[in-house]
Amino acid sequence: MGSTNLASIGAAALETLHDLIHAAARRVEEHIRPLVGGLYRLFVSATPQARLPSPPRAEPTLPLPIPSHTVPAPAVPASGRELPRAYGLNRVVLLARDPWWLFTHWEISPVERIEALRTLGAEGEGAREVLRVHGPEGDGLPPRDIDLEPGTGRLHFRVDHPGRTYRVDVGLRSTSGRFIALVSSNAVTTPPAAPSSDLGVRWVAIGARHARTDVARAWSGRRLPVEPAAADHDDVGPGTPSSAAAPRRPRASDALPLR
């Protein structure tokens, strides 16, 4: 009985101590909360608030005076002068620039590329767009590929044999080397890197109003007589000596061929 009473008395004492601590904490909170609120309001009121500068006010711009002798050009919409970026065509055009260089430009629709990737299947992953150059025709040489950057639509490229025929394909090449042509070009022949072998000469006679007539007789190599134009001495006054009025005499240069 003695030990039970002691345990009950201890539990009651602990519970009473807990209640006292809780009540004291509430009393302290009631006294501190107004003090903290007052200090906060005092701090806010004592701190100046930063004010942003107001944006500058735009002054109205007056139109420049137009001179009376000029008329303003009519406004033309930009859309009427702009060329389209694409024409919806699948084609490639090849041109010969000189004996050593070719120029090509092309356009391929996205649908055509998607169909080619679908044909490649799993090989389409990592496929590159290339320009495949065929030629010179008749030499039996394998075609060569030129890797293209994404979005490229034109290219100048060099060839090794002038006076030969070439053509190109734009297509996709897979990592395994499989190639699918998207568009194929026309065939062009580069000019030879030498003077023309055509030595034919056509002789013509110039008539009135620059009319030309073929003649069979070849030119002798001598200078042709030139009639003085009437306008050459229109401004020569009466009594003024003029070399144009003097009779024309043979000159040593008449025997020289024209160059």
Side-chain angles (χ1 to χ4, degrees):
M1 290 293 295
S3 60
T4 303
N5 292 335
L6 290 175
S8 300
I9 293 171
L14 290 176
E15 185 175 357
T16 302
L17 181 61
H18 180 270
D19 294 340
L20 290 174
I21 293 174
H22 184 68
R26 291 185 59 183
R27 298 294 294 273
V28 171
E29 182 181 2
E30 291 175 359
H31 286 83
I32 291 179
R33 180 177 296 177
L35 180 60
V36 173
L39 292 175
Y40 177 77
R41 287 191 296 270
L42 180 62
F43 175 78
V44 172
S45 61
T47 304
Q49 295 182 356
R51 295 183 178 180
L52 296 177
S54 58
R57 185 176 181 181
E59 296 294 335
T61 57
L62 298 177
L64 296 176
I66 300 176
S68 58
H69 62 277
T70 60
V71 179
V76 179
S79 59
R81 294 180 177 270
E82 295 177 355
L83 294 176
R85 297 181 61 87
Y87 295 89
L89 302 175
N90 293 313
R91 65 171 183 174
V92 54
V93 178
L94 183 63
L95 303 171
R97 196 188 75 176
D98 55 43
W100 307 102
W101 287 87
L102 296 177
F103 171 72
T104 180
H105 63 93
W106 62 89
E107 179 184 348
I108 303 172
S109 66
V111 177
E112 193 73 18
R113 287 187 172 90
I114 293 174
E115 291 296 332
L117 291 173
R118 190 173 296 170
T119 303
L120 289 173
E123 295 180 323
E125 185 175 357
R128 291 291 304 270
E129 188 165 309
V130 298
L131 178 74
R132 176 158 291 188
V133 183
H134 302 272
E137 291 187 356
D139 285 3
L141 298 176
R144 64 186 180 98
D145 291 347
I146 302 175
D147 291 344
L148 301 174
E149 296 295 331
T152 305
R154 61 186 63 191
L155 185 69
H156 284 89
F157 61 95
R158 183 180 172 88
V159 293
D160 298 329
H161 304 281
R164 311 297 287 273
T165 302
Y166 297 86
R167 64 180 182 87
V168 297
D169 294 331
V170 180
L172 298 178
R173 185 190 61 200
S174 66
T175 54
S176 62
R178 183 182 176 186
F179 177 78
I180 293 183
L182 300 176
V183 285
S184 299
S185 76
N186 53 303
V188 298
T189 302
T190 55
S196 175
S197 59
D198 184 7
L199 302 178
V201 179
R202 177 188 175 192
W203 300 99
V204 296
I206 306 299
R209 297 183 179 180
H210 305 286
R212 293 175 297 178
T213 306
D214 290 340
V215 295
R217 185 170 56 89
W219 178 49
S220 62
R222 299 178 60 87
R223 289 182 178 270
L224 301 177
V226 179
E227 297 294 334
D232 292 343
H233 44 78
D234 285 346
D235 55 348
V236 179
T240 304
S242 174
S243 60
R248 185 177 183 276
R249 297 180 180 180
R251 295 176 297 180
S253 61
D254 292 342
L256 299 176
L258 288 174
R259 294 184 180 179

